[in-house]
Amino acid sequence: MDRRRCKCQRCGMNIAAPIGAQIIICPRCQSVTQLQPPRNNSFANFPPANNNMRLEFPAYPARPRRMSPNVNNNNFQPQQFNRPMSPQINNIRPPAVHGRKRAVLCGINYRGHAKSLKGSINDALSMRYFLVEKLGFPIASVIVLTEDEKDPYKYPTKANIRSALRWLVHGCRSGDSLVFHYSGHGARVRDRDGDEIDGHDESLCPVDYETEGRILDDEINSTIVRPLPPGAILHGIIDTCFSGTFLDLPFLCRINRAGYFKWEDHRIRGYKGTSGGTAFSISACDDHQSSGDTTAFTGVPMGALTYSFIQTLEQETKLTYGRLIMSMQNKIQEAQKGLGLNGANETQEPQLSSSEPFDIHSKLVAI
C-alpha cells in the first residue's frame, strides 16, 4: 500500500499514513490528527477513506544497526551528506536555564547518508512527550536537537550538542533532576590517555561528524558528570551502539538473568566521578555490542532501548534500577525473538553504570 509521511499534531511523531486516509491515530499518544488531501494531482481520483479508519501498523524487519564505522575499519569510505548542511555555528550563547528539571534530547537520522537511521528522531520526540506529559518536565526546560528542528541552534551539529550539554548543567544545584538522551550513531575509537579498561573510548557522532569529528566519552563526562553538585541527579539514556560506558562513569553494573549483580570498578587513572552529585547511565548495549531500530513495538521505527525504557516506567510503579534493567532486557529479547534476531551478533543487553555503587534492588528510580 502506498503511504505518505505525516506528523502527529500533538506529540510531533512522524507516521506513515496510507494515501487517502483522512485521519490517523498516533501509536504514541493516541491523539487523532486530521489529514490534508495529498497535493499530488495524480491522487485526485483516489477513493475517499472511511472516516472511522484506524491506522494499522504491520511489523517490519529490524532497521539498520546504529553503528557508525569503526575508525580502524579499512573498508570504510566516508560518505558525504546529499542535503545541504546547516551553517557551522560557533560560540553559541546558551538559552536561559529554566526549572529544577531539565533535559537535552538528541536524535539524529543522518538523512542523505549511506548509513542513515529511521527511528532516532522518533526516539527524541517520544522522550520529550514522556518527560513533559508523564514526569512533569516544563516544556521550556527540554531542548530537542534533531534534523527536523527549524531553529539553527537546535540542529544536531557538534557545536550545538556541546552547547546544549553545557546548558544542561549550567547553574544546577541540589534537588535538580537532569536528563541527557541520545539516539543516533555511536563509535569506538582507540583510547589515547590510558583511562579505558578495554583500550577504547566510546563516542557520539553528531550530524557533521565526518567534517567536525566525534564527541568522546571523556568530554561528555567532563561536561555533564564532573560538575554535578551534591544533591543533583543526572540520568543518561543512551540509545546507540558501543554504549555501555558512554558517560565514562566509574562503576559498571553486571546483572545476570536471576538478578544477581556486581559492580565493576572502571577507575584506572583520572577522576570520572561527580562533584558530589549522582549520575546514572542506562544504555542500549555493552561496549562491544550494537543496537538497532525496529518497528516490532509500535509499527513505526524506534530504538529498542528508548521504547522499552519508556514503557517500563509507564507500566510499573515503585521501580528499582534492577527491575528497570531486567524488564527492559525482557522486552528487547522478546522483540528480537519475534524478528528472528537470536544470533550471537544480534545480542543487545541494556547496561547500567553509575558514579557510585549501590543496591540496585532497593534504590528506586527517580527522574
Side-chain angles (χ1 to χ4, degrees), residues 20-38:
Q22 296 180 2
I23 64 170
I24 56 169
I25 300 177
C26 179
R28 179 201 294 155
C29 67
Q30 300 300 311
S31 65
V32 177
T33 297
Q34 296 287 336
L35 300 181
Q36 297 295 324

Side-chain angles (χ1 to χ4, degrees), residues 36-290:
Q36 297 295 324
R39 296 181 180 180
N40 191 334
N41 291 333
S42 63
F43 297 111
N45 297 320
F46 198 93
N50 187 334
N51 286 336
N52 296 319
M53 113 183 300
R54 180 185 178 96
L55 183 59
E56 299 293 337
F57 294 97
Y60 296 96
R63 297 300 184 186
R65 298 190 161 275
R66 299 180 171 188
M67 177 170 48
S68 82
N70 190 295
V71 293
N72 297 320
N73 187 346
N74 295 325
N75 296 324
F76 171 65
Q77 297 296 326
Q79 301 287 332
Q80 296 298 321
F81 291 89
N82 295 327
R83 60 171 288 176
M85 293 298 298
S86 204
Q88 181 64 42
I89 301 171
N90 297 311
N91 301 320
I92 296 174
R93 185 175 183 179
V97 174
H98 299 273
R100 309 303 302 276
K101 290 187 172 186
R102 303 200 293 274
V104 169
L105 318 176
C106 182
I108 311 176
N109 281 355
Y110 309 91
R111 292 190 181 123
H113 194 276
K115 295 186 179 294
S116 62
L117 300 173
K118 299 294 185 182
S120 293
I121 293 178
N122 285 339
D123 289 346
L125 296 178
S126 295
M127 188 61 69
R128 178 178 63 183
Y129 177 82
F130 174 67
L131 293 178
V132 173
E133 298 293 333
K134 305 298 183 179
L135 298 187
F137 276 62
I139 189 66
S141 300
V142 179
I143 290 182
V144 178
L145 298 97
T146 74
E147 293 136 294
D148 285 346
E149 293 296 321
K150 305 304 181 185
D151 185 344
Y153 294 101
K154 295 180 181 179
Y155 197 74
T157 63
K158 184 176 183 178
N160 285 351
I161 294 173
R162 280 174 160 175
S163 178
L165 292 178
R166 291 193 297 268
W167 170 88
L168 181 64
V169 297
H170 179 74
C172 69
R173 60 191 190 276
S174 179
D176 286 359
S177 176
L178 313 179
V179 171
F180 170 50
H181 172 255
Y182 172 71
S183 178
H185 279 313
R188 304 177 81 199
V189 300
R190 188 171 299 281
D191 176 33
R192 301 295 182 185
D193 54 10
D195 67 343
E196 297 285 349
I197 288 180
D198 61 359
H200 291 86
D201 282 312
E202 286 62 53
S203 65
L204 178 158
C205 297
V207 71
D208 56 352
Y209 76 93
E210 290 180 329
T211 57
E212 301 302 318
R214 300 168 175 85
I215 300 177
L216 299 185
D217 56 358
D218 294 341
E219 179 180 344
I220 297 173
N221 180 278
S222 64
T223 303
I224 63 175
V225 174
R226 221 166 295 174
L228 281 178
I233 298 177
L234 167 71
H235 284 87
I237 298 97
I238 311 300
D239 203 343
T240 186
C241 296
F242 317 123
S243 54
T245 59
F246 200 84
L247 264 59
D248 221 11
L249 297 175
F251 298 98
L252 178 66
C253 189
R254 298 297 187 186
I255 313 171
N256 67 15
R257 296 181 185 275
Y260 293 101
F261 70 94
K262 67 176 181 179
W263 289 95
E264 291 181 355
D265 191 340
H266 280 237
R267 295 173 297 180
I268 297 180
R269 54 176 297 181
Y271 184 66
K272 298 184 177 183
T274 69
S275 295
T278 307
F280 306 94
S281 177
I282 299 164
S283 54
C285 57
D286 208 342
D287 283 343
H288 65 279
Q289 296 175 341
S290 55

Side-chain angles (χ1 to χ4, degrees), residues 130 135 235 237 280 282 305-331 352 358-367:
F130 174 67
L135 298 187
H235 284 87
I237 298 97
F280 306 94
I282 299 164
L305 181 279
T306 300
Y307 180 85
S308 62
F309 174 81
I310 293 174
Q311 286 295 301
T312 301
L313 285 177
E314 286 186 334
Q315 294 171 358
E316 302 189 32
T317 59
K318 296 184 178 180
L319 191 67
T320 65
Y321 285 92
R323 177 59 188 162
L324 171 63
I325 296 299
M326 295 180 69
S327 179
M328 291 167 58
Q329 286 177 340
N330 292 335
K331 285 180 170 60
L352 171 67
F358 61 92
D359 182 357
I360 66 171
H361 294 306
S362 63
K363 192 176 185 67
L364 298 178
V365 179
I367 300 178

